[in-house]
């Protein structure tokens, strides 16, 4: 019975697409015909423009951030943190990569492309700098994964993919600089533009007046009390450590969050907002999953919950716990079932966040 259904489905799929466009090219696919219009590496819609606008602002801060970490700290400071002159060179190379990424997006956006801004950073030491880089590249990376397949302009998605893949490598190197396990998950997660913008905005102080306004939402900020702290002298920088996760399932995690209406970001242009109802759940976005846990003792803008212990997959005894990396938590008004391709439907239900949770 099953095989009949499979055959029928295959037949239907085969009929759904025009005949093959070229030899050795099975029917289907987009933009692979010799008759396809030539690709244009530019936004096709406002959605594309604003997604790239956000990504460009992210590339600019990374460029500034990596150079800042070279200017602010001496070689001796790096050595005290277990890093050496060659590690500094690698940070400098990453800054140079950001020049290329910013140039690429500037070329795709044309004359309206945002220029570099000024930034404020929270770090005072090399370990804090490395931790900031590790987290900032995480939301830069996840912010792009969240929208890539939704872009109208697939040629643009192609180029952005090729730069975000490099950023993913940067993120892993900063993990190694921090003595963390380099890649404790099976899948890297995606978040929405508004979630990424909420995390980015507080770092941007001023921008040129003609930078195009970022049209995504700023949600109220969320703070995780007792968030695990990654730097630990017992785990100096290394390719890898047999280090256990920094937090465990069913551990208590407490939150406070802000009310909407606060000015954030540059030039007093942005104000936090929410369209959600009352806070009810913590949403844990990691790997392929958005998992909800109920909030307890909700009092004003604070509550607590337990870390969930679900798995992405269990395969022949090998298992992948959902929560085991640098991931995202939000406060929501409902436990809306979303999957990676429709996660933007969660935006309307965000009370506050995301905040970055350092679970591994
Ligand atoms: C690494 O940790 C695992 C699980 O805690 C343990 O079974 C294994 O023996 C450790 N390996 C080394 C080389 O320390
Ligand atoms: C979870 O992350 C730790 C590092 O933080 C890693 O050692 C461990 O293997 C991961 N667990 C699983 C089951 O993948
Ligand atoms: C996490 O996502 C995977 C892939 O969609 C799914 O198979 C799994 O059941 C999810 N895990 C939980 C606990 O929801
Ligand atoms: C999101 O997609 C999943 C299927 O992948 C579906 O089950 C779920 O209902 C969708 N969520 C919403 C809010 O539509």
């Amino acid at each position: 019975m099953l095989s009949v259904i499979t055959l029928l489905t295959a037949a239907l799929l085969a009929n759904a697409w025009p005949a093959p466009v070229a030899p050795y090219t099975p029917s289907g696919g987009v933009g692979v015909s010799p008759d396809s219009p030539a690709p244009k590496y530019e936004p096709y819609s406002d959605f594309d423009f604003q997604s790239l606008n956000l990504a460009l602002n992210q590339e600019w801060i990374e460029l500034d951030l990596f150079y800042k970490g070279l200017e602010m700290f001496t070689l001796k400071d790096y050595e005290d943190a277990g890093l050496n002159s060659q590690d500094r060179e690698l940070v400098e190379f990453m800054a140079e990569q950001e020049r290329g990424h910013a140039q690429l997006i500037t070329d795709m956006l044309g004359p309206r492309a945002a220029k570099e801004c000024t930034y404020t950073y929270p770090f005072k030491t090399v370990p804090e700098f490395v931790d900031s880089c590790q987290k900032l590249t995480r939301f830069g990376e996840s912010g792009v994964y969240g929208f890539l397949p939704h872009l109208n302009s697939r040629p643009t998605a192609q180029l952005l993919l090729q730069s975000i893949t490099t950023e993913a490598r940067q993120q892993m190197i900063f993990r190694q600089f921090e003595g963390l396990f380099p890649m404790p998950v099976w899948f890297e997660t995606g978040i929405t533009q508004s979630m990424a913008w909420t995390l980015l905005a507080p770092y941007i102080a001023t921008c040129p007046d003609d930078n195009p306004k970022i049209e995504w939402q700023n949600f109220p900020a969320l703070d995780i009390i007792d968030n695990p702290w990654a730097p630990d002298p017992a785990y100096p920088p290394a390719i890898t450590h047999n280090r256990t996760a920094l937090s465990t399932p069913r551990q208590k995690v407490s939150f406070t969050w802000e009310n909407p209406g606060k000015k954030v970001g540059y030039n007093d242009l942005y104000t936090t907002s929410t369209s959600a109802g009352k806070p009810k759940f913590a949403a844990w976005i990691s790997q392929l999953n958005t998992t909800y846990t109920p909030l307890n003792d909700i009092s004003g803008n604070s509550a607590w919950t337990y870390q969930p212990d679900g798995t992405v997959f269990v395969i022949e005894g090998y298992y992948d716990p959902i929560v085991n990396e640098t991931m995202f938590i939000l406060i929501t008004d409902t436990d809306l079932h979303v999957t990676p391709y429709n996660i933007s439907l969660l935006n309307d239900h965000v009370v506050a966040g995301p905040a970055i949770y350092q679970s591994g």
Side-chain angles (χ1 to χ4, degrees), residues 288-289 310-313 322:
L288 304 176
N289 305 72
T311 50
V312 187
F313 290 123
I322 292 172

Side-chain angles (χ1 to χ4, degrees), residues 206 224 278:
T206 61
I224 302 170
K278 290 198 184 321

Side-chain angles (χ1 to χ4, degrees), residues 175 181 184-186 241-246 319-321 324 359-360:
R175 290 184 63 85
F181 194 73
V185 289
W186 293 3
H241 284 290
N242 201 14
R243 189 174 181 174
T244 54
L246 304 188
Y319 73 102
D320 179 22
N324 204 31
S359 70

Side-chain angles (χ1 to χ4, degrees), residues 336-339 342 345:
L336 190 74
H337 174 55
V338 287
T339 51
N342 66 7
L345 299 175

Side-chain angles (χ1 to χ4, degrees), residues 137 171 322 343 355:
T137 48
Q171 202 272 343
I322 292 172
I343 195 170

Side-chain angles (χ1 to χ4, degrees), residues 84-359:
N84 61 31
S85 59
Q86 299 179 53
D87 298 321
R88 272 181 70 96
E89 289 293 332
L90 181 52
V91 173
E92 183 159 0
F93 190 81
M94 292 196 255
E96 289 164 16
Q97 292 175 322
E98 295 309 324
R99 290 181 189 277
H101 297 173
Q103 184 67 50
L104 175 77
I105 302 178
T106 298
D107 289 347
M108 292 195 285
L109 288 176
R112 286 172 66 207
K115 307 286 189 304
E116 201 173 350
C117 301
T118 65
Y119 307 95
T120 52
Y121 299 114
F123 52 83
K124 298 199 169 56
T125 65
V126 171
E128 287 171 7
F129 160 67
V130 171
D131 189 66
S132 288
C133 293
Q134 186 264 121
K135 288 176 173 149
L136 195 120
T137 48
R138 155 56 58 237
F139 67 73
E141 188 191 339
S142 293
V144 170
Y145 295 151
F147 70 67
L148 264 186
H150 297 284
L151 290 174
N152 295 105
S153 170
R154 287 180 184 229
T156 302
Q158 172 78 46
L159 296 189
L160 209 50
L161 172 67
Q162 289 177 240
S163 55
I164 217 61
T165 309
T166 300
E167 182 154 335
R169 294 170 184 210
Q170 295 173 346
Q171 202 272 343
M172 194 175 92
I173 285 164
F174 286 119
R175 290 184 63 85
Q176 293 169 310
F177 279 4
E178 246 185 324
L180 283 167
F181 194 73
M183 39 180 183
V185 289
W186 293 3
F187 304 94
E188 304 305 331
T189 205
I191 56 173
T192 69
Q193 295 96 334
S194 293
M195 294 175 193
W197 176 225
T198 296
L199 289 165
L200 174 61
Y203 296 109
I204 311 184
T206 61
C207 289
D209 281 336
D210 52 357
N211 270 15
K213 192 167 185 245
I214 292 171
E215 304 288 354
W216 306 107
Q217 192 169 0
N218 296 94
F219 299 119
L222 172 66
D223 188 38
I224 302 170
I225 300 162
D226 297 329
N227 203 346
W229 178 240
D232 178 347
Y235 297 100
I239 292 173
T240 189
H241 284 290
N242 201 14
R243 189 174 181 174
T244 54
L246 304 188
S247 69
T248 46
R250 291 178 296 280
Q251 140 175 355
K252 203 168 153 175
V253 181
S254 305
F255 309 104
T256 61
W257 59 90
E258 290 178 352
N259 285 322
K262 187 185 164 186
K263 289 268 182 219
V264 287
Y266 60 86
N267 305 10
D268 271 347
L269 280 177
Y270 304 94
T271 308
T272 60
S273 66
T274 167
S275 55
K278 290 198 184 321
K280 287 203 182 99
F281 292 93
W284 305 68
I285 303 179
S286 187
Q287 306 212 43
L288 304 176
N289 305 72
T290 299
T291 309
Y292 299 90
T293 54
L295 294 175
N296 299 299
D297 297 332
I298 304 166
S299 152
N301 291 7
S302 71
W304 62 270
T305 192
Y306 291 115
Q307 179 176 320
D309 76 346
T311 50
V312 187
F313 290 123
V314 182
I315 302 168
E316 294 172 359
Y318 295 93
Y319 73 102
D320 179 22
I322 292 172
V323 175
N324 204 31
E325 213 218 349
T326 312
M327 44 85 60
F328 306 94
I329 304 183
L330 302 106
I331 303 296
T332 62
D333 64 357
T334 183
D335 53 351
L336 190 74
H337 174 55
V338 287
T339 51
Y341 193 75
N342 66 7
I343 195 170
S344 65
L345 299 175
L346 189 56
N347 281 341
D348 281 353
H349 298 279
V350 175
V351 174
I356 289 182
Y357 186 56
Q358 193 65 54
S359 70

